[in-house]
């Protein structure tokens, strides 16, 4: 009897020890999982902290609107090495649809910014991959005293032409900004947008902006002769004076001939009187 009791006591002791050992293991695993979770959380926060933003306003003083299809690009570059190309840190692009300023946000990785290196913000505008505007002042956004938002000013790029000949802009596929209508200087339309027209080389389709509304129609040309088909416009109402818009849409019905000299387009009626003059925005 005494021997059996000892065996029972020994077995009980073994079971209790096993349960205590398992409990310790569970506690250790739980502690490890909790520690791992805590270790992962700061890593995510650190990754987010590496990204910062630069607020940029791009402007230009020229009153002319950018043509459709223009692409504005702002870049942040490392320009520390004088004998090597600049290193691109980040770039951001947009297609402007209104007048400046153009507000952009550049998100950059702070780990790519090195103390004592020189950095520069640059802005360009291209139309069909041709540079038409660029910034000419070096701006270091990390310089002491730099303000936000950072303002970048664009200047138009002058394209070289020979003194003997002047290339004429193509009548079709050119952005023609209205300069004068019936002898009066053209005014900017809603949101400071230019009034313009474009004649497509394919399909004989015309489209543009008349000051408040967009319009589209058809046209025919033949050896300097020009005639417009029916023109349809959107039906928006603007707070500004819409007299010029109505006059411009009506004047299209008088288009009878055209001539291009350099960057200028002159349209006349059947009596040879000047109806409207335009200026090209897409000259090479």
């Amino acid at each position: 009897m005494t021997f059996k009791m000892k065996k029972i006591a020994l077995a009980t002791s073994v079971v209790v020890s096993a349960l205590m050992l398992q409990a310790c293991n569970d506690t250790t695993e739980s502690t490890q999982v909790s520690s791992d979770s805590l270790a992962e959380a700061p890593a995510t926060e650190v990754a987010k902290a590496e990204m910062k933003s630069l607020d940029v306003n791009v402007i230009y003083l020229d009153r002319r609107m950018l043509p459709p299809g223009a692409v504005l690009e702002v870049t942040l570059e490392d320009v520390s090495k004088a004998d090597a190309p600049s290193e691109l840190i980040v770039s951001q692009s947009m297609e402007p649809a209104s007048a400046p300023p153009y507000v952009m946000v550049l998100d950059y990785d702070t780990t790519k910014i090195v103390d004592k290196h020189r950095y520069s913000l640059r802005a360009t505008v291209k139309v069909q991959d041709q540079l038409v505007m660029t910034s000419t002042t070096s701006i270091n956004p990390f310089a002491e005293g730099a303000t936000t938002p950072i303002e970048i000013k664009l200047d138009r790029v002058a394209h070289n032409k020979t003194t003997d000949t002047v290339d004429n802009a193509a009548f079709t596929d050119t952005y023609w900004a209205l300069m004068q209508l019936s002898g009066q200087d053209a005014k900017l339309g809603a949101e400071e947008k230019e009034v313009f027209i474009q004649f497509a080389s394919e399909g004989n389709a015309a489209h543009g902006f008349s000051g408040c509304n967009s319009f589209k129609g058809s046209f025919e040309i033949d050896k300097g002769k020009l005639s417009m088909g029916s023109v349809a416009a959107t039906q928006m109402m603007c707070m500004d004076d819409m007299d010029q818009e109505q006059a411009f849409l009506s004047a299209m019905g008088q288009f009878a001939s055209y001539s291009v000299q350099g960057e200028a387009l002159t349209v006349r009626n059947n009596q040879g009187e000047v109806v409207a003059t335009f200026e090209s925005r897409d000259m090479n």
Side-chain angles (χ1 to χ4, degrees), residues 105-134:
V105 178
L106 272 70
D107 296 320
Y108 66 95
D109 186 349
T110 58
T111 62
K112 295 183 178 181
I113 306 303
V114 182
D115 288 342
K116 298 184 179 180
H117 276 212
R118 292 185 299 108
Y119 297 90
S120 179
L121 279 171
R122 182 171 181 249
T124 60
V125 174
K126 292 183 179 180
V127 177
Q128 297 179 350
D129 293 327
Q130 177 186 327
L131 183 66
V132 295
M133 301 188 81
T134 185

Side-chain angles (χ1 to χ4, degrees), residues 63 177-189 193-195 210-211 241 243-245 247-248 274-279 281:
R63 66 183 289 269
L178 180 66
M179 303 306 294
Q180 286 194 333
L181 181 64
S182 299
Q184 301 295 318
D185 290 340
K187 297 179 292 185
L188 295 177
K193 293 182 180 179
E194 282 182 321
V195 177
S210 51
D241 186 359
D243 289 345
Q244 177 178 265
E245 175 174 79
F248 180 53
V274 175
V275 177
T277 60
F278 302 83
E279 186 175 287
R281 295 290 186 255

Side-chain angles (χ1 to χ4, degrees), residues 45-174:
E45 293 177 0
V46 170
K48 290 182 179 179
E50 290 176 351
M51 300 302 297
K52 288 188 177 181
S53 299
L54 293 174
D55 296 325
V56 176
N57 285 352
V58 181
I59 66 167
Y60 60 86
L61 303 182
D62 193 325
R63 66 183 289 269
R64 296 176 291 180
M65 287 290 294
L66 295 175
V71 177
L72 167 64
E73 181 181 28
V74 176
T75 60
L76 173 63
E77 301 171 351
D78 185 335
V79 294
S80 302
K81 300 178 181 178
D83 57 346
S86 59
E87 178 185 348
L88 178 65
I89 304 299
V90 65
S91 67
Q92 183 74 26
S93 300
M94 67 176 293
E95 292 189 15
S98 61
Y102 305 119
V103 179
M104 303 182 72
V105 178
L106 272 70
D107 296 320
Y108 66 95
D109 186 349
T110 58
T111 62
K112 295 183 178 181
I113 306 303
V114 182
D115 288 342
K116 298 184 179 180
H117 276 212
R118 292 185 299 108
Y119 297 90
S120 179
L121 279 171
R122 182 171 181 249
T124 60
V125 174
K126 292 183 179 180
V127 177
Q128 297 179 350
D129 293 327
Q130 177 186 327
L131 183 66
V132 295
M133 301 188 81
T134 185
S135 56
T136 57
T137 302
S138 178
I139 301 174
N140 185 353
F142 308 118
E144 184 177 354
T147 59
T148 186
I150 301 166
E151 186 174 271
I152 304 178
K153 178 178 172 292
L154 291 169
D155 292 307
R156 289 194 179 267
V157 175
H159 297 285
N160 294 328
K161 298 179 181 178
T162 64
T163 56
D164 297 330
T165 61
V166 177
D167 294 333
N168 291 336
F171 175 76
T172 56
D173 300 324
T174 295

Side-chain angles (χ1 to χ4, degrees), residues 21 40 49 143 183 227 268:
L21 180 60
E40 290 175 359
S227 62
R268 301 175 184 273

